[in-house]
Amino acid sequence: MRGRSAAAAAPCWLWARLGWRGLALFTTGASWISYGISITLQPRYGTVRGISVLLNLMCMTAWGWLWIIAGVLSLAYGLVRPGRDLIGVGAAIGPPLLWSMAFALGALTGTSDTAWGSIAPWASHALLILIVAYLTRPRVIVERAVTSGAD
């Protein structure tokens, strides 16, 4: 009986710790780790062509490790209280914005005919993380007092 109650309490504890903001950072972190591993081990031809502007700065393996590190930070900061997790929010937003910008440059310079199709998907993920971070931001005590005083 005791094992069951502990097992049932674990998801409740995890949800109380994560919330929507933490869940967004946690799942994004896991995604970035997975994506980083995939482009480190076997980068896709279209990705390499689309982000060729970035490959002048670092090799694809290094970019893969950047995604992995950002993923680990995002995952770890998903467990931190809102307001103290800004590094995780930045780690969740940075790589897709960078990828979106690189694909935009790839499309503009003509290095890839299909790069334009990757701009919005990468930028939209960063925007969704920003929306979740904004909606779940910690309220300041003064803001609460002013808002409740208006009622």
Side-chain angles (χ1 to χ4, degrees):
M1 209 53 146
R2 199 166 192 197
R4 283 187 181 177
S5 62
C12 294
W13 175 86
L14 186 60
W15 180 250
R17 188 80 177 149
L18 288 175
W20 289 112
R21 182 184 183 107
L23 183 62
L25 290 177
F26 203 81
T27 56
T28 297
S31 298
W32 288 177
I33 292 168
S34 173
Y35 184 70
I37 291 169
S38 77
I39 64 172
T40 299
L41 297 178
Q42 192 167 21
R44 294 175 198 91
Y45 176 71
T47 301
V48 172
R49 280 188 59 207
I51 64 148
S52 63
V53 175
L54 294 179
L55 295 178
N56 294 330
L57 302 172
M58 292 191 312
C59 67
M60 197 62 158
T61 301
W63 286 114
W65 277 103
L66 180 95
W67 280 85
I68 293 168
I69 291 166
V72 168
L73 286 171
S74 181
L75 193 92
Y77 276 91
L79 297 170
V80 177
R81 281 192 338 218
R84 296 182 180 208
D85 60 356
L86 295 181
I87 291 173
V89 172
I93 292 171
L97 279 182
L98 183 65
W99 240 230
S100 181
M101 186 174 56
F103 277 110
L105 288 171
L108 289 173
T109 60
T111 57
S112 173
D113 295 337
T114 58
W116 62 269
S118 296
I119 299 167
W122 285 116
S124 69
H125 189 85
L127 180 61
L128 288 173
I129 293 297
L130 274 176
I131 291 168
V132 170
Y134 176 78
L135 292 174
T136 58
R137 72 193 182 284
R139 304 282 190 230
V140 181
I141 294 171
V142 175
E143 183 181 331
R144 286 184 191 160
V146 170
T147 305
S148 64
D151 291 332

